[in-house]
Amino acid sequence: MNFITGTHLSRRTFLRGAGTSLALPLLDAMVPAGRRWTDPMRRSEFTRLVCVEESMGVAGSSDWGAARHLFAPAQAGRDFELVADSQLKPLESFRDYMTIVSNTDCRAAEAKRAEEIGGDHDRSTAVFLTQAHPRQTQGSDIFLGTSLDQLHAQRFGRDTALPSLEMCIEGIDRGGGCAYNYHCAYTTSLAWASPNQPLPAIREPRVVFERLFGAGDSAEDRAARRRADRSMIDWITTEVARLRRDLGAVDRVALDEYVDHIREIERRIQLVEARHATGEERAMPEAPSGVPDSFEEHMRLMFDLQLIALQADLTRVITFKTGFDQSNRTFPGSGTTRSIHGASHHGNAPDHLMDYHRINTYRLSQLGYFLDKLRSTTEGDRPLLDKTAVIWGSPMADGNLHNHRRAPLLMFGRANGALEGGIHVKAPEGTPMANTFVTLMRNIGHPEMDTFGDSDGALALDFPGQASPARGGP
């Protein structure tokens, strides 16, 4: 253990044993003696950034769906109403943390030349966080832009074990090449460290777990530990017990809850792996053994891993791709048996549009699990959700038309005061989505950002003169 002598426990304390490295959440013992907690809303502090991409747009971006407010509410400002069929209805309990941005465009995902027509699915993912137009190529000369998550990581991720963490739910294998002469990196990669450096995303919860905690000095060590059926926590039991003796009562409870949470995540991963080792037929036979067949189970595991990573300050920047374009996956929990890609081509038939909307609503509802965890996890004197910006959106708007106008975008959290929440911002016609990102990035620690992607200005994310929603104590 690493203590700063005579003062307090270091924020960078790690418990180590047998190749395992366990970072700790913020504890009272990490506050120097004689100092009180200060309100992070009133001081400069890093903001955690989580970016979640939804593929293929939403039903609410079609003309029919927009007229019925399936995504964007009718009213702008604070007094917006979520109609009974709204895709946002399952997240209404997070209204005070919700910033709805409607009517913005991802025109960088549109075809610029005749040869690019038809390649919207192959461009979209790469555009979402870069707002830049991909160079059409199958070769090594890929070129795009640096994504906003990586700009944030370059400034605020250097002090963490993982400057950023890239995760996904689905794999993609198109047999050696992607369509319309686009490199597959454009289809699979949300995060771009530079215009020609895409960052691969991790699909398996076990791989993410071992990225966070080590859990072995080598692949052989990790395999041996799994064969021994021992938890990663078992390798550092002595260190945990030693630390507990030096902590106050409140910190002991926090440490126990944190360790138990990690142990429970590992147990759930082991259950998935054991279930898939029986040889029984799987719903997703092509998926690795550590990937749950259940979309909901997979999402929750990945969200729990993200929570731990943020809570322990192992990373401050996460990207999460929840599907891939043209996926034929079905979602029994949504109430329809149609595949997501098939349903996206609804032909403007109301019944088919509502099938797609059911899938959209079900998929977005999974985010509520993560938001609830962030809201109920306290760091210092405030919920983690107050210190985080969660971006959710799609670079495609109406999947039936493959267009990128009126693309859906949401933000959650308070981002240390950068976001007020409880607001619907309706942008003027033709506003680039990039304008939203310019404003957000300025407010979370990039004040020098004048442009980003194809931005032509900045979109205000507040409403002067309107009362802000009630917040917690000072």
Side-chain angles (χ1 to χ4, degrees):
M1 292 181 294
N2 179 23
F3 290 88
I4 296 182
T5 307
T7 54
H8 65 293
L9 186 67
S10 169
R11 182 67 178 97
R12 291 288 165 224
T13 297
F14 285 80
L15 306 183
R16 306 180 191 276
T20 295
S21 179
L22 179 65
L24 299 176
L26 186 64
L27 301 171
D28 285 350
M30 294 173 179
V31 180
R35 296 186 189 175
R36 299 179 58 188
W37 287 112
T38 56
D39 184 355
M41 294 290 196
R42 299 176 184 170
R43 61 179 177 157
S44 176
E45 186 183 67
F46 68 84
T47 294
R48 296 165 174 91
L49 178 64
V50 181
C51 305
V52 184
E53 187 223 13
E54 175 70 3
S55 299
M56 297 183 283
V58 297
S61 289
S62 68
D63 289 342
W64 188 89
R68 286 155 182 79
H69 313 297
L70 296 185
F71 183 82
Q75 307 90 348
R78 296 201 177 278
D79 298 326
F80 62 84
E81 176 190 1
L82 299 181
V83 297
D85 284 337
S86 171
Q87 183 179 342
L88 311 185
K89 198 70 173 177
L91 302 180
E92 190 161 24
S93 63
F94 302 99
R95 180 187 178 108
D96 286 349
Y97 282 101
M98 181 189 299
T99 301
I100 305 166
V101 181
S102 65
N103 214 40
T104 64
D105 303 335
C106 280
R107 298 194 184 189
E110 297 178 346
K112 304 296 183 184
R113 299 178 296 121
E115 306 93 281
E116 297 176 346
I117 294 173
D120 299 271
H121 282 306
D122 301 87
R123 289 186 296 267
S124 289
T125 289
V127 170
F128 182 43
L129 299 180
T130 65
Q131 296 296 306
H133 187 72
R135 173 186 290 165
Q136 190 178 34
T137 179
Q138 286 276 10
S140 60
D141 59 333
I142 55 176
F143 194 86
L144 183 63
T146 303
S147 54
L148 63 87
D149 60 292
Q150 290 305 299
L151 293 174
H152 201 59
Q154 288 165 13
R155 178 160 296 181
F156 296 103
R158 288 175 293 183
D159 296 331
T160 60
L162 299 172
S164 63
L165 180 61
E166 293 74 43
M167 304 170 70
C168 66
I169 288 293
E170 288 188 86
I172 179 171
D173 183 1
R174 290 187 173 176
C178 290
Y180 294 93
N181 200 33
Y182 283 105
H183 196 285
C184 287
Y186 296 131
T187 308
T188 59
S189 302
L190 266 180
W192 290 72
S194 70
N196 57 9
Q197 187 183 354
L199 300 178
I202 304 172
R203 184 184 182 190
E204 293 190 59
R206 168 70 68 183
V207 177
V208 179
F209 187 89
E210 292 177 349
R211 176 75 64 88
L212 298 180
F213 303 116
D217 292 318
S218 66
E220 292 75 18
D221 288 343
R222 293 189 287 271
R225 182 179 59 74
R226 291 197 293 271
R227 285 196 299 271
D229 196 27
R230 294 181 63 187
S231 167
M232 178 272 290
I233 298 298
D234 293 338
W235 298 95
I236 55 171
T237 300
T238 301
E239 291 296 310
V240 171
R242 185 179 300 155
L243 175 61
R244 285 187 87 260
R245 291 197 298 269
D246 297 319
L247 296 177
V250 172
D251 278 350
R252 285 198 297 270
V253 171
L255 178 64
D256 289 346
E257 289 179 348
Y258 177 71
V259 169
D260 288 346
H261 188 198
I262 294 172
R263 192 189 297 273
E264 175 62 15
I265 292 172
E266 188 176 22
R267 185 190 70 82
R268 286 157 55 198
I269 293 172
Q270 291 168 342
L271 284 175
V272 171
E273 293 168 338
R275 189 163 65 232
H276 293 163
T278 62
E280 294 182 4
E281 184 177 356
R282 294 185 58 187
M284 296 177 62
E286 81 290 349
S289 62
V291 171
D293 287 347
S294 162
F295 178 76
E296 185 170 337
E297 183 180 7
H298 197 179
M299 289 285 284
R300 290 190 172 197
L301 263 176
M302 297 301 249
F303 277 140
D304 278 329
L305 288 164
Q306 291 176 47
L307 177 71
I308 288 290
L310 297 173
Q311 185 182 9
D313 201 29
L314 285 166
T315 193
R316 297 167 183 173
V317 180
I318 297 172
T319 55
F320 190 28
K321 182 170 173 57
T322 61
F324 70 86
D325 280 69
Q326 297 178 296
S327 170
N328 288 314
R329 186 166 191 170
T330 59
F331 302 89
S334 69
T336 178
T337 58
R338 300 190 68 195
S339 74
I340 182 171
H341 183 226
S344 74
H345 288 285
H346 43 71
N348 290 317
D351 288 349
H352 292 169
L353 244 162
M354 288 306 294
D355 274 344
Y356 189 47
H357 181 61
R358 291 182 186 97
I359 296 172
N360 299 153
T361 304
Y362 171 75
R363 286 170 60 88
L364 178 58
S365 71
Q366 306 306 310
L367 186 62
Y369 178 83
F370 184 48
L371 297 175
D372 185 60
K373 293 280 186 177
L374 290 172
R375 185 171 59 182
S376 61
T377 300
T378 300
E379 182 182 75
D381 58 352
R382 288 197 173 273
L384 208 53
L385 190 53
D386 280 14
K387 304 180 178 187
T388 304
V390 179
I391 298 172
W392 177 97
S394 178
M396 191 172 283
D398 183 354
N400 185 61
L401 298 177
H402 288 184
N403 74 2
H404 308 274
R405 310 289 176 97
R406 199 163 53 203
L409 182 64
L410 301 170
M411 287 178 282
F412 293 90
R414 297 270 164 71
N416 287 315
L419 295 171
E420 293 184 3
I423 292 177
H424 171 207
V425 178
K426 184 174 182 179
E429 198 75 22
T431 300
M433 183 181 285
N435 289 15
T436 308
F437 294 150
V438 168
T439 303
L440 177 67
M441 293 294 280
R442 284 178 181 173
N443 292 343
I444 63 173
H446 306 266
E448 76 292 342
M449 183 175 285
D450 293 324
T451 62
F452 178 72
D454 66 349
S455 68
D456 60 8
L459 179 66
L461 297 176
D462 57 5
F463 279 79
Q466 291 195 14
S468 297
R471 296 181 178 174

